[in-house]
Amino acid sequence: MLENFRSTSELGLYSVASKIPAFLSILSSIFIQAWSISSIKEFDYENDNKFYSLVFKYYSILMFMGTSFILLIIKPFMSVYVGESFFIAWRYAPFLVVGTSYYAMSSFFGSLYGAAKKNISVALSTFVAAIINITINLVWLPGNGIIVASISTLVSYFVIAMWRMYGVNKIVSIEINYIKFATNSILVILQSIFVTLDINIYFNSLVILFIIFVVNFRDILNICKILTKRLIK
């Protein structure tokens, strides 16, 4: 769709910007591949909501922390990662990075749908999000530039995540701290806005990263303990 409404140069910038979330996607995909196998086994044998709740809590925290860290370093990283002519692409990457974190979380729930053989629900959520993405781009992309494509990606991935998060409880009861989840979401979205608008990027990003760390401190401590035990073994 971009090629129909924007110039080739803008298309090139967006293509470069879309490569940045790949780093978060790689970490996510490694987890999701392992998680898909575990979720099927757990679903088949005991359908343990405590297991799912704990894994999602830790996984979402890692995604939010990883997202915030990438947003912190995105501008200096792009200065060495790409040539000068493509450096400006960093402005289009923040919303894509946040969107990728939501897509990663939607994949977590998607694995549960798959384990329960509810693939139609997965397809439906993807279809609705695609319609939203296309609609946003058709209405606002022609007159507002490729930043709209980044925003539409974030919105569509957020819709998929929320749709599946809500619907998964029909399959298995997952305990989610919605206040903490909302707090983390607001923080990373706020940070992505600061970075996109180039408003005191490093100060604001460090403050937000620190707040996310404090909000999730106990859980982060538990994650570190689990990883330490695994390494010792």
Side-chain angles (χ1 to χ4, degrees), residues 121-132:
S121 297
V122 173
L124 182 60
S125 63
T126 303
F127 175 75
V128 171
I131 295 298
I132 293 173

Side-chain angles (χ1 to χ4, degrees), residues 97-140:
V97 173
V98 178
T100 298
S101 69
Y102 286 116
Y103 181 76
M105 285 181 265
S106 75
S107 297
F108 174 93
F109 295 117
S111 297
L112 287 175
Y113 279 99
K117 297 178 175 59
K118 301 289 186 180
N119 295 317
I120 293 178
S121 297
V122 173
L124 182 60
S125 63
T126 303
F127 175 75
V128 171
I131 295 298
I132 293 173
N133 189 307
I134 293 171
T135 301
I136 292 174
N137 282 312
L138 284 174
V139 175
W140 286 289

Side-chain angles (χ1 to χ4, degrees), residues 76-211:
F77 175 78
M78 289 290 279
S79 67
V80 297
Y81 179 65
V82 299
E84 185 177 348
S85 58
F86 287 100
F87 174 62
I88 193 62
W90 70 267
R91 284 185 176 273
Y92 308 115
F95 292 131
L96 294 175
V97 173
V98 178
T100 298
S101 69
Y102 286 116
Y103 181 76
M105 285 181 265
S106 75
S107 297
F108 174 93
F109 295 117
S111 297
L112 287 175
Y113 279 99
K117 297 178 175 59
K118 301 289 186 180
N119 295 317
I120 293 178
S121 297
V122 173
L124 182 60
S125 63
T126 303
F127 175 75
V128 171
I131 295 298
I132 293 173
N133 189 307
I134 293 171
T135 301
I136 292 174
N137 282 312
L138 284 174
V139 175
W140 286 289
L141 181 62
N144 296 281
I146 57 175
I147 189 65
V148 173
S150 298
I151 295 173
S152 66
T153 298
L154 168 56
V155 172
S156 60
Y157 285 161
F158 179 81
V159 168
I160 294 178
M162 295 305 100
W163 180 300
R164 294 179 183 177
M165 181 186 294
Y166 173 78
V168 77
N169 284 296
K170 297 177 182 178
I171 301 172
V172 58
S173 178
I174 295 183
E175 297 177 6
I176 299 173
N177 188 328
Y178 291 103
I179 294 177
K180 186 176 289 187
F181 185 88
T183 300
N184 289 328
S185 294
I186 291 170
L187 287 169
V188 293
I189 291 173
L190 186 61
Q191 185 181 356
S192 68
I193 293 173
F194 284 142
V195 175
T196 299
L197 298 178
D198 202 4
I199 302 174
N200 296 323
I201 291 178
Y202 305 115
F203 174 77
N204 288 326
S205 292
L206 283 171
V207 169
I208 290 175
L209 181 59
F210 177 74
I211 294 174

Side-chain angles (χ1 to χ4, degrees), residues 52-96:
Y52 299 128
S53 301
L54 191 64
V55 173
F56 177 71
K57 179 171 66 172
Y58 292 159
Y59 179 58
S60 62
I61 289 171
L62 290 174
M63 285 296 102
F64 284 126
M65 287 290 294
T67 297
S68 184
F69 178 74
I70 291 175
L71 291 175
L72 169 65
I73 66 170
I74 199 168
K75 186 176 180 181
F77 175 78
M78 289 290 279
S79 67
V80 297
Y81 179 65
V82 299
E84 185 177 348
S85 58
F86 287 100
F87 174 62
I88 193 62
W90 70 267
R91 284 185 176 273
Y92 308 115
F95 292 131
L96 294 175

